[in-house]
Amino acid sequence: MVRHEEYEYLLERSRRFYETALLQIDREFYDLAAFSLEQSLQLYLKACLLKLGADYPRTHSVRRLLELIYEITKHNSVKKLLNKFSVELGSLEDAYITSRYVSRSYSLEEIKRLKETVDGVINIVRETIG
């Protein structure tokens, strides 16, 4: 798969995971929604790294992916995201791990915060890298 095709593929998968999260929220499947939100953001950030001409690492850490975007762009708005959403980004990373190994439930309020975080990060990164 060439770089542009992989970029488009990751964006489409990110969109699908986001839409899946919305359906899961409606059905009150909050644990699955947390996982889907994490996957959506992770794939979006990996697509952005490709767009910036970088290879993305084999990591599930959305914080690490954001750090790499900051290292490439040097945009303070990306650095601010890491500080502003540090707890929420950590919760998203935990959602990835707990979805596989540990039973964890989420409240509607937690999911709303995670969704707002994903929305905020995607919007700022989109504005930053175009």
Side-chain angles (χ1 to χ4, degrees):
M1 187 179 309
V2 295
R3 195 174 210 78
H4 180 72
E5 289 173 344
E6 186 176 8
Y7 165 79
E8 292 293 333
Y9 175 76
L10 291 174
L11 282 183
E12 177 60 21
R13 297 245 327 144
S14 170
R15 183 190 63 75
R16 285 193 205 161
F17 270 111
Y18 187 86
E19 288 182 18
T20 299
L22 298 180
L23 295 170
Q24 291 163 333
I25 292 168
D26 286 344
R27 299 286 307 270
E28 299 181 8
F29 300 158
Y30 301 137
D31 57 332
L32 297 175
F35 173 77
S36 293
L37 287 168
E38 186 281 335
Q39 288 291 281
S40 176
L41 182 57
Q42 183 188 140
L43 295 172
Y44 181 80
L45 295 175
K46 287 178 177 180
C48 290
L49 285 166
L50 286 177
K51 185 175 184 176
L52 291 167
D55 291 324
Y56 56 85
R58 301 294 177 200
T59 182
H60 303 292
S61 172
V62 291
R63 288 178 289 191
R64 180 65 188 132
L65 296 170
L66 269 174
E67 288 168 357
L68 290 170
I69 290 171
Y70 172 71
E71 289 171 16
I72 294 167
T73 66
K74 301 295 187 208
H75 283 280
N76 282 332
S77 58
V78 175
K79 186 72 167 174
K80 288 178 184 177
L81 286 172
L82 285 160
N83 294 326
K84 180 179 179 181
F85 295 121
S86 63
V87 172
E88 292 84 354
L89 293 170
S91 291
L92 283 166
E93 289 177 5
D94 290 346
Y96 176 84
I97 294 165
T98 60
S99 71
R100 288 165 162 42
Y101 307 110
V102 181
S103 178
R104 160 89 155 83
S105 44
Y106 293 83
S107 69
L108 176 59
E109 290 308 312
E110 286 175 295
I111 293 303
K112 284 181 179 179
R113 273 185 87 161
L114 294 179
K115 181 184 172 300
E116 289 171 9
T117 299
V118 170
D119 292 340
V121 170
I122 287 174
N123 287 334
I124 296 297
V125 171
R126 183 180 296 130
E127 290 173 10
T128 301
I129 68 168

